[in-house]
Amino acid sequence: MPGFFSLSNRFAELFLQGPRITGKLYQPERHNLREKPIAKHKRTPILMLVGNSQTRDYLSGLLAENNYFPFLMTDSAELLHSLKEKKFAIILIDCRAVTNYGTRILSKIKVSCPRCRIINFCDKEHLRDQAHRELIKEVMDIGVYACILAPYQDWEVLSLVSYCA
């Protein structure tokens, strides 16, 4: 039963890693058994409607580096159409998109996909503006799962995405 122990080691490593690994495990030629298995491809369906180009580039790059491949949406109509065609687990949206399309976009998302986790990204400078503070409050009242303020830390984004997956 020599294969049993290597298999049990893999399951133990997977258990210790918790929800961070979601996908098929890929075992490269490992000489050190303490090296962690990596996820080859994560199938977590993620939609992304982010109006700020810097935030969009940062998030799509970070997620791609970690084997998440979000569907980038260009406008609210495309986002809502995608929700009708396919089920998604996570929707990433920023304050600029919410400001452009109104908070009704969030309500429409919640109706189209009640189990979706919506994560809102805000610029820290918005906290100085009372209108944006009210917007964040309204967004949270609608039922957004999380609201992250810039500067975004990699671990914040990845832990929320992997937990929601």
Side-chain angles (χ1 to χ4, degrees), residues 4-5 7 9 15 18 57 79 92 110 112 116 123 138 163:
F4 174 76
F5 290 109
L7 184 61
N9 286 341
F15 179 74
D57 294 343
L79 177 101
L92 307 177
K110 295 293 278 179
S112 296
C116 288
D123 293 332
E138 189 175 347
Y163 181 75

Side-chain angles (χ1 to χ4, degrees), residues 39-114:
K40 186 175 182 182
H41 179 69
K42 298 174 182 160
R43 299 181 188 264
T44 304
I46 301 173
L47 274 179
M48 195 163 88
L49 178 63
V50 178
N52 185 334
S53 61
Q54 290 175 330
T55 304
R56 182 176 49 246
D57 294 343
Y58 165 74
L59 289 174
S60 61
L62 175 67
L63 293 172
E65 286 173 8
N66 289 280
N67 296 323
Y68 292 102
F69 300 100
F71 295 94
L72 302 174
M73 301 289 111
T74 57
D75 61 9
S76 64
E78 184 181 11
L79 177 101
L80 294 172
H81 182 72
S82 296
L83 286 174
K84 290 178 183 174
E85 290 182 354
K86 186 177 177 186
K87 296 201 183 252
F88 289 90
I90 303 168
I91 298 174
L92 307 177
I93 195 164
D94 71 338
C95 278
R96 184 174 290 177
V98 174
T99 302
N100 290 343
Y101 302 114
T103 54
R104 288 198 63 209
I105 185 68
L106 299 172
S107 300
K108 289 178 182 179
I109 291 170
K110 295 293 278 179
V111 168
S112 296
C113 185

Side-chain angles (χ1 to χ4, degrees), residues 98 102-104 106-107 120 131-144:
V98 174
T103 54
R104 288 198 63 209
L106 299 172
S107 300
N120 188 36
H132 278 289
R133 290 176 68 90
E134 291 297 320
L135 178 71
I136 293 170
K137 183 178 184 265
E138 189 175 347
V139 162
M140 294 304 288
D141 286 342
I142 289 173
V144 169

